[in-house]
């Protein structure tokens, strides 16, 4: 027989006052009124009542008092929850390790005696129920602690024998989207059963800091973690309670990314890997969404352990948020959706040095070019200023266009020369210099390198060019456009930069200063396309890349511009509600984000401007593989899984409550007969 108290000490004190109060009620003197009676029979009843008012006489003959005190005693015994449980080999101390990783969200758990599955019940919910039953069965001389673990341990409740505190701590636990690492939780439990020593064993000055206190180590998990070999159990007695089934159904997205097509930056390419990590064949539809709008879909049919790749192509120059969702009801929904993002084409600064070129201005001010380009037009006199010298040496601009002029020294950035040649270094060899290969003459274009991104979507054979000269480029040059007189557009590398030269001017100036056109290119559809290609590939506007992806719980470091004093992080998980959080960058513009715990697209905004973005995805095949491990390895010791059940305990408090009700009924019957 063992007892489990349901009241705290002060509540027992209140209960102890109840029988004292009952006895005190019998000490009260009756207030009597004079009564005239017509019969000596009634006088005898009154005399008998006077005898009863005597203290000893009343207590000696009060059956009601005895029944009332008996009812209180039975209630007190019932509150002690007497019961009988079989012999156990458990210790007086128990460490509960509760797995709170992403795989514990799986809903493949048994629903009870009917063999089905509980609707909405996850592995984590079942594990909590089992631990709660263990806590309820604890006796007063037993204590326990609760530790949850995912990729990090969390001691939710230290050792206590207070079952209420343990239950409250258990209620506070929540499942996460994090991967699994049990080592930290084992080390937290290790401190009790295996106390450390002050020095190495064998040292005469060695002192053990505390006595060993063996404890039961109960691990509630699906076993989805790597074997722990660098840990010694010592005095910990492990029990692995497996949660879940071996026959799970799960289709998972294990990779998802997006990038811009290098040859066509306006095209977004998305790639995904889908794997069947369950034990059943699965068919599903993968749906691609962009900013909440349907874009494309693809069917998926996989046998167990198979995987396949998916690819999608969409058109967008803007920053986009992509999500890929598997339309399937399986046992783990977290890995059925993945997120990716793309920054917009990078804004570039372009300096244009020209005596005047209206077609060039129009080409840089089209709707698409103006979104990615901030241009500044200056005259050739600007090349003689100190401001230009500092600007060229620091590489402030992403591209400098020299129209019919050349600098004394080449800048530390990419360049585009129109009707002029780059300046060579004084000690440069002949094959490292630019030169004209012909005199001014009429030009007929005969060849275009259509494989080069600079020439994409261009049709130039209808152009009229009145005057032009062929170009000799340095070693490593690439001819992009060929004419009857020789190369007409040439691209060459220079110390990590690129220089491009066009052999004919767009605008010419007579000796009297009158401007005229040298070609009809500016009136063709290919002109704004060509300028957009120049911005994308020569100025670097196409360097925009896909947003980085992190796993839930990882610290995300974002570097913002120094001018940004505050920002807002917006999380979009594909639903209508987007959560936001205010961010405050440090002096260096760096923000460490530690609250990215849920899968989704995260945007960093300052005002209405997008400063940065990243994605958070599970992407963990270990977590998505739902088959429960039959055993786990802890310190080279294999611990076999046991069924998730709690030893039954025969309790007698219900019988005692029925007995108490019987005593109260008897007391009421006796009282009714006396009064009647």
């Amino acid at each position: 027989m063992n007892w489990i108290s349901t009241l705290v000490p002060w509540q027992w004190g209140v209960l102890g006052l109840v029988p004292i109060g009952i006895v005190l009620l019998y000490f009260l003197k009756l207030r009597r009124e004079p009564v005239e009676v017509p019969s000596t029979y009634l006088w005898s009843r009154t005399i008998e009542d006077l005898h009863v008012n005597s203290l000893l006489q009343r207590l000696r003959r009060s059956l009601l008092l005895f029944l009332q005190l008996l009812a209180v005693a039975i209630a007190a015994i019932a509150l002690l929850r007497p019961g009988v449980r079989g012999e156990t080999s458990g210790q007086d101390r128990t460490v509960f390790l509760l797995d709170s990783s992403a795989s514990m969200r799986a809903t493949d758990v048994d629903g009870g005696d009917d063999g089905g599955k509980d609707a909405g019940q996850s592995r984590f919910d079942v594990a909590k129920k089992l631990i709660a039953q263990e806590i309820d069965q604890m006796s007063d001389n037993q204590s326990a602690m609760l530790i949850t673990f995912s990729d990090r341990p969390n001691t939710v409740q230290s050792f206590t024998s207070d079952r209420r505190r343990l239950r409250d701590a258990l209620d506070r636990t929540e499942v996460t989207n994090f991967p699994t690492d049990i080592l930290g939780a084992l080390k937290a439990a290790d401190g009790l059963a295996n106390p450390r020593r002050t020095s190495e064993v064998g040292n005469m000055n060695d002192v053990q800091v505390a006595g060993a206190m063996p404890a039961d180590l109960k691990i509630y998990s699906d076993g989805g973690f790597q074997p722990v070999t660098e840990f010694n159990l010592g005095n910990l007695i492990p029990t692995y309670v497996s949660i879940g089934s071996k026959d799970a159904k799960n289709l998972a997205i294990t990779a998802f990314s997006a990038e811009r097509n290098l040859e066509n930056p306006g095209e977004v390419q998305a790639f995904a890997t889908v794997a069947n990590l369950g034990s059943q064949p699965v068919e599903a539809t993968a749906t691609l969404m962009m900013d909440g709008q349907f874009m494309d879909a693809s069917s998926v049919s996989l046998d167990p352990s198979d995987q396949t790749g998916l690819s999608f192509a969409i058109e967008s120059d803007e920053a986009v948020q992509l999500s890929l969702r598997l339309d399937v009801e399986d046992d783990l929904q977290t890995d059925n959706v993945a997120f990716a993002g793309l920054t917009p084409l990078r804004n570039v600064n372009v300096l244009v040095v020209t005596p005047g070129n209206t077609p060039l201005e129009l080409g840089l001010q089209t709707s698409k070019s103006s979104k990615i380009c901030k241009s500044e037009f200056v005259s050739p006199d600007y090349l003689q200023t100190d401001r230009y010298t500092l600007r060229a040496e620091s590489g402030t601009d992403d591209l400098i266009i020299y129209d019919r002029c050349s600098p004394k020294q080449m800048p530390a950035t990419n360049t585009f020369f129109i009707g002029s040649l780059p300046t060579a270094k004084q000690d440069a060899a002949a094959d490292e210099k630019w030169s004209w290969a012909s005199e001014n003459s009429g030009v007929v274009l005969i060849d275009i390198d259509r494989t080069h991104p600079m020439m994409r979507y261009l049709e130039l054979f209808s152009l009229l060019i009145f005057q032009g000269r062929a170009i000799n480029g340095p070693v490593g040059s690439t001819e992009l456009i060929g004419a009857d007189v020789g190369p007409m557009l040439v691209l060459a590398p220079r110390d990590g930069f690129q220089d491009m030269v066009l052999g004919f001017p767009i605008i010419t100036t007579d000796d009297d200063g009158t401007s005229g056109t040298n070609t009809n290119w500016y009136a063709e559809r290919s002109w704004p396309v060509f300028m957009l290609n120049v911005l994308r590939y020569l100025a670097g506007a196409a360097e925009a890349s896909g947003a980085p992806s992190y796993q839930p719980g990882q610290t995300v470091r974002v570097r913002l511009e120094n001018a940004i004093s505050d920002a807002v992080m917006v999380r979009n998980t594909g639903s209508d509600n987007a959560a936001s959080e205010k961010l405050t960058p440090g002096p260096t513009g760096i923000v460490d984000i530690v609250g990215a715990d849920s899968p989704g697209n995260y945007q960093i905004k300052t005002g209405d401007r997008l400063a940065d973005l990243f994605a958070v995805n599970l992407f963990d095949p270990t977590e998505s593989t739902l088959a429960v491990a039959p055993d786990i390895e802890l310190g080279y010791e294999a611990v076999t899984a046991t069924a998730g059940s709690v030893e039954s305990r025969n309790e007698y408090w219900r019988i005692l409550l029925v007995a108490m009700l019987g005593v109260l009924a008897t007391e009421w019957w006796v009282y009714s007969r006396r009064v009647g």
Side-chain angles (χ1 to χ4, degrees):
M1 177 77 70
N2 51 50
W3 311 83
I4 300 176
S5 174
T6 58
L7 300 181
V8 295
W10 70 267
Q11 293 173 331
W12 281 112
V14 174
L15 182 62
L17 297 176
V18 173
I20 297 176
I22 294 175
V23 174
L24 290 177
L25 289 176
Y26 281 79
F27 290 166
L28 297 178
K29 297 292 186 177
L30 295 178
R31 177 179 295 177
R32 306 199 177 275
E33 297 180 0
V35 178
E36 294 182 4
V37 293
S39 171
T40 58
Y41 171 77
L42 294 179
W43 272 108
S44 63
R45 293 291 303 272
T46 302
I47 294 173
E48 180 183 351
D49 190 47
L50 290 175
H51 286 294
V52 173
N53 282 329
S54 175
L55 177 61
L56 296 179
Q57 183 81 0
R58 179 171 49 180
L59 293 180
R60 184 168 54 249
R61 297 184 180 183
S62 179
L63 179 60
L64 292 177
L65 175 62
F66 171 75
L67 293 175
Q68 291 167 357
L69 293 179
L70 179 61
V72 173
I74 295 176
I77 296 174
L79 289 174
L80 287 172
R81 288 183 60 186
V84 176
R85 184 168 56 182
E87 293 292 330
T88 64
S89 59
Q91 307 299 317
D92 289 338
R93 297 201 171 206
T94 304
V95 180
F96 296 113
L97 293 191
L98 174 59
D99 189 350
S100 62
S101 62
S103 61
M104 295 296 284
R105 291 181 177 271
T107 56
D108 61 333
V109 287
D110 293 336
D113 297 336
D114 58 358
K117 294 183 179 180
D118 285 335
Q121 289 289 301
S122 66
R123 293 177 174 182
F124 187 76
D125 295 330
V126 172
K128 288 179 64 174
K129 286 183 177 180
L130 293 176
I131 295 177
Q133 294 175 17
E134 290 277 4
I135 293 173
D136 290 341
Q137 301 299 330
M138 287 172 52
S139 60
D140 290 339
N141 63 340
Q142 290 180 311
S143 61
M145 73 182 302
L146 176 62
I147 301 174
T148 62
F149 66 94
S150 50
D151 63 338
R152 69 204 71 172
N154 179 25
T155 303
V156 185
Q157 176 61 56
S158 57
F159 272 107
T160 180
S161 58
D162 189 339
R163 290 183 296 275
R164 179 172 300 178
R165 292 179 61 185
L166 286 168
R167 284 190 291 266
D168 291 343
L170 183 63
D171 291 339
R172 294 195 304 269
T173 60
E174 295 181 353
V175 66
T176 70
N177 294 299
F178 304 159
T180 313
D181 183 3
I182 196 176
L183 181 59
L186 291 173
K187 289 182 177 179
D190 180 53
L192 167 76
N194 307 307
R196 303 282 79 85
R197 308 182 73 88
T198 59
S199 62
E200 296 181 358
V201 177
N203 190 328
M204 296 183 60
N205 296 321
D206 177 57
V207 177
Q208 183 162 308
V209 296
M213 301 181 67
D216 286 327
L217 179 68
K218 296 191 175 182
I219 304 172
Y220 293 80
S221 173
D222 52 21
F225 48 82
Q226 297 297 324
V228 181
T229 57
E230 64 275 22
F231 179 77
N232 183 16
L233 286 169
N235 293 314
L236 290 172
I237 304 172
T239 302
Y240 165 41
V241 181
S242 61
I243 309 295
S245 68
K246 297 180 180 179
D247 187 22
K249 174 184 176 182
N250 190 37
L251 197 66
I253 303 174
T254 57
F256 182 50
S257 62
E259 61 184 26
R260 296 194 182 276
N261 188 336
L262 294 178
E263 296 183 353
N264 179 18
E267 180 181 270
V268 177
Q269 297 175 320
F271 306 94
T273 301
V274 180
N276 186 350
L277 299 176
S279 58
Q280 307 174 27
V282 182
E283 294 184 0
T285 299
T287 304
L288 180 68
M289 307 288 287
M290 182 177 73
D291 297 328
Q293 301 295 322
F294 172 83
M295 299 303 298
D296 202 352
S298 179
S299 60
V300 177
S301 179
L302 295 173
D303 291 328
S305 302
D306 287 350
Q307 67 177 28
T308 187
L310 303 176
S311 62
F312 305 91
I314 56 179
E315 296 286 335
S316 178
D317 287 333
E318 305 295 330
V320 296
Q321 298 181 87
L322 299 176
S323 64
L324 184 66
R325 187 177 298 275
L326 299 175
D327 300 328
V328 61
E329 291 293 332
D330 56 16
D331 292 324
L332 183 62
Q333 294 293 311
T334 305
D335 54 16
N336 287 356
V337 61
F339 301 89
L342 270 181
T343 60
L345 294 179
R346 188 172 70 90
N347 290 331
V348 294
N349 294 320
V350 177
L351 175 64
V352 183
V353 185
T354 176
N357 194 327
T358 302
L360 194 57
E361 292 184 28
L362 294 176
L364 294 175
Q365 293 176 0
T366 62
S367 59
K368 287 191 175 181
S369 296
S370 60
K371 290 181 179 180
I372 60 176
C373 171
K374 180 181 180 181
S375 57
E376 180 181 353
F377 286 78
V378 297
S379 66
D381 296 338
Y382 183 75
L383 299 178
Q384 312 302 323
T385 63
D386 293 337
R387 182 182 177 187
Y388 166 77
T389 302
L390 180 62
R391 190 169 182 172
E393 291 177 352
S394 61
T396 303
D397 301 293
D398 298 290
L399 174 68
I400 299 180
I401 300 177
Y402 298 96
D403 179 27
R404 294 164 286 164
C405 61
S406 298
K408 294 181 180 180
Q409 292 182 349
M410 294 298 291
T413 188
N414 295 341
T415 63
F416 177 28
F417 287 81
I418 302 176
S420 58
L421 295 176
T423 304
K425 296 180 180 179
Q426 294 181 354
D427 57 349
D431 60 355
E432 296 177 353
K433 297 181 180 180
W434 292 84
S435 62
W436 297 115
S438 68
E439 297 296 329
N440 268 322
S441 62
V443 176
V444 177
L445 303 183
I446 61 174
D447 188 27
I448 298 176
D449 184 1
R450 298 184 183 277
T451 63
H452 198 280
M454 194 75 70
M455 298 291 102
R456 188 173 178 84
Y457 302 124
L458 294 183
E459 187 61 52
L460 305 177
F461 294 118
S462 61
L463 296 188
L464 298 176
I465 303 172
F466 300 113
Q467 296 288 324
R469 289 182 285 183
I471 307 164
N472 279 333
V475 177
S477 299
T478 301
E479 179 183 334
L480 302 179
I481 299 177
D484 56 346
V485 296
M488 197 54 51
L489 182 64
V490 178
L491 183 68
R494 169 183 52 89
D495 299 333
F497 303 107
Q498 295 189 85
D499 302 319
M500 187 170 68
V501 178
L502 182 64
F504 61 91
I506 307 299
I507 301 294
T508 58
T509 304
D510 297 338
D511 295 338
D512 58 359
T514 303
S515 298
T517 57
N518 186 51
T519 177
N520 67 337
W521 195 4
Y522 66 89
E524 298 288 329
R525 293 180 178 178
S526 59
W527 174 247
V529 177
F530 172 72
M531 292 307 301
L532 186 60
N533 289 346
V534 170
L535 294 176
R536 286 175 172 173
Y537 297 102
L538 202 57
E543 292 178 0
S545 60
S549 178
Y550 301 90
Q551 285 190 315
Q554 287 185 333
T555 299
V556 179
R557 172 162 288 193
V558 177
R559 186 182 184 91
L560 304 177
E561 300 174 10
N562 291 335
I564 298 178
S565 58
D566 56 10
V568 175
M569 181 180 69
V570 181
R571 176 172 62 88
N572 186 354
T573 61
S575 60
D576 295 335
N577 298 324
S580 61
E581 177 183 346
K582 186 176 180 181
L583 303 176
T584 303
T588 60
I590 295 178
V591 181
D592 288 329
I593 301 173
V594 296
D597 297 341
S598 301
N601 277 310
Y602 291 74
Q603 290 184 318
I604 311 298
K605 292 185 175 181
T606 172
D608 295 332
R609 186 170 69 89
L610 177 63
D612 204 348
L613 72 160
F614 61 91
V616 173
N617 295 287
L618 180 60
F619 291 169
D620 191 330
T622 302
E623 293 299 314
S624 297
T625 303
L626 299 183
V628 175
D631 53 60
I632 59 176
E633 186 175 340
L634 302 178
Y636 300 103
E637 178 180 338
V639 182
T640 304
T642 61
S645 60
V646 178
E647 181 185 7
S648 61
R649 180 176 183 269
N650 295 323
E651 297 191 2
Y652 305 126
W653 61 270
R654 296 180 180 86
I655 299 176
L656 291 174
L657 288 181
V658 172
M660 182 192 71
L661 293 176
V663 171
L664 291 177
T666 303
E667 189 268 348
W668 177 255
W669 179 75
V670 172
Y671 175 75
S672 299
R673 287 197 60 185
R674 285 197 173 187
V675 173

